[in-house]
């Protein structure tokens, strides 16, 4: 029914792209009624608020793994009032596969919580400023394993800051005690 009041052909016009021109057929809808309905349809259009950071844009995408080694992917849900809740969810759980019931395996974690943990660990160890966004700190991170009682951050040594790399080399070349 509503498409009747959006189609200018019923006004006796021919439409081509964005152009509308008088046609050879008579109008079957009054122009005044058509315009009033257009205004009402426009007034009824739902305006969606700008959504902050989509799930696919979360910075730990591709780095985070659960306790069984399954990749954890970004996901989100909406709460009351349109509040967005972001998570990282284990692949088997997202794909609807049956998950082992192994105790101590986190299958879902709040994105803000894990971001805070990772950011806190990287700021101290890699010498980043608190003002540096998490995404900018992840250049040297190879993988993050999320276990029940610990978070393992695996770094790529060749991407670490030079001073930190040199301190690792000193430890590596120290002679063993007998």
């Amino acid at each position: 029914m509503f498409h009747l009041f959006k189609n200018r052909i019923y006004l006796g016009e021919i439409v081509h792209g964005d152009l509308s021109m008088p046609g050879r057929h008579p109008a079957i809808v009054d122009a005044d009624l058509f315009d009033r309905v257009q205004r009402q349809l426009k007034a009824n259009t739902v305006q969606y608020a700008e959504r902050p950071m989509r799930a696919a844009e979360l910075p730990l995408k591709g780095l985070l793994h659960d306790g069984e080694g399954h990749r954890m992917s970004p996901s989100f849900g909406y709460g009351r009032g349109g509040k967005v809740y972001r998570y990282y969810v284990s692949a088997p759980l997202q794909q609807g596969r049956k998950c082992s019931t192994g105790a101590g395996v986190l299958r879902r974690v709040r994105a803000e919580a894990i971001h805070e943990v990772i950011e806190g660990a990287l700021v101290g160890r890699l010498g980043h400023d608190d003002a540096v966004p998490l995404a900018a700190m992840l250049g040297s991170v190879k993988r993050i394993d999320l276990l029940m009682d610990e978070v393992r951050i695996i770094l790529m040594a060749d991407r670490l800051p030079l001073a930190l790399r040199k301190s690792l080399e000193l430890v590596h070349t120290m002679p063993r005690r007998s």
Side-chain angles (χ1 to χ4, degrees), residues 108-142:
R108 180 180 291 125
V109 64
R110 258 190 37 228
E112 289 80 11
I114 195 64
H115 289 171
E116 190 175 311
V117 168
I118 301 301
E119 188 172 2
L122 294 177
V123 164
R125 286 177 183 69
L126 299 181
H128 289 293
D129 189 315
D130 283 341
V132 175
L134 177 60
M137 291 186 225
L138 296 172
S140 59
V141 175
K142 182 176 184 177

Side-chain angles (χ1 to χ4, degrees), residues 54-148:
R54 299 185 55 86
E57 298 167 353
L58 292 176
L60 299 180
K61 179 181 178 184
L63 295 173
L64 197 59
H65 296 78
D66 69 15
E68 292 181 339
H70 300 292
R71 184 166 278 171
M72 297 181 80
S73 299
S75 185
F76 67 98
Y78 295 105
R80 286 193 170 171
K83 180 170 171 56
V84 179
Y85 293 93
R86 290 179 181 75
Y87 303 92
Y88 289 95
V89 181
S90 183
L93 190 61
Q94 262 193 347
Q95 296 163 0
R97 296 188 319 210
K98 194 166 190 159
C99 298
S100 68
T101 56
V105 178
L106 295 174
R107 301 281 181 204
R108 180 180 291 125
V109 64
R110 258 190 37 228
E112 289 80 11
I114 195 64
H115 289 171
E116 190 175 311
V117 168
I118 301 301
E119 188 172 2
L122 294 177
V123 164
R125 286 177 183 69
L126 299 181
H128 289 293
D129 189 315
D130 283 341
V132 175
L134 177 60
M137 291 186 225
L138 296 172
S140 59
V141 175
K142 182 176 184 177
R143 178 184 172 115
I144 301 168
D145 291 321
L146 183 61
L147 308 175
M148 189 59 132

